[in-house]
Amino acid sequence: HPPQVITSEPALSFSSVISTITLSPVTAGEHENSTYISWTGQWSSDADAGVVQDGKYKRREALADLAKAVTSA
């Protein structure tokens, strides 16, 4: 999919981020028959370290929430 431009209110301090979520099967070991989730972000050069760190913690929090949701289902 090509990048999409989306507006924000309030305006963001950076011009773009591309987030990629990858799902992979776990085929061996303790977590066999589970799914490994990877979520990465590629930030534009105008994003400062604070923005990148904030994104990192928000992704971790969202993944933890997802883990809770699927284990309680």
Side-chain angles (χ1 to χ4, degrees), residues 10-73:
L12 299 173
S13 62
F14 56 93
S15 55
S16 69
V17 60
I18 298 174
S19 292
T20 303
I21 298 173
T22 305
L23 307 175
S24 303
V26 178
T27 59
E30 178 182 347
H31 299 291
E32 185 175 7
N33 296 321
S34 297
T35 302
Y36 178 79
I37 302 173
S38 172
W39 186 356
T40 62
Q42 294 181 309
W43 301 86
S44 55
S45 62
D46 58 346
D48 64 26
V51 167
V52 174
Q53 280 295 95
D54 184 56
K56 174 183 170 181
Y57 292 115
K58 285 180 179 172
R59 284 193 305 275
R60 283 184 178 176
E61 186 176 86
L63 289 171
D65 289 346
L66 176 61
K68 286 180 202 170
V70 298
T71 55
S72 66

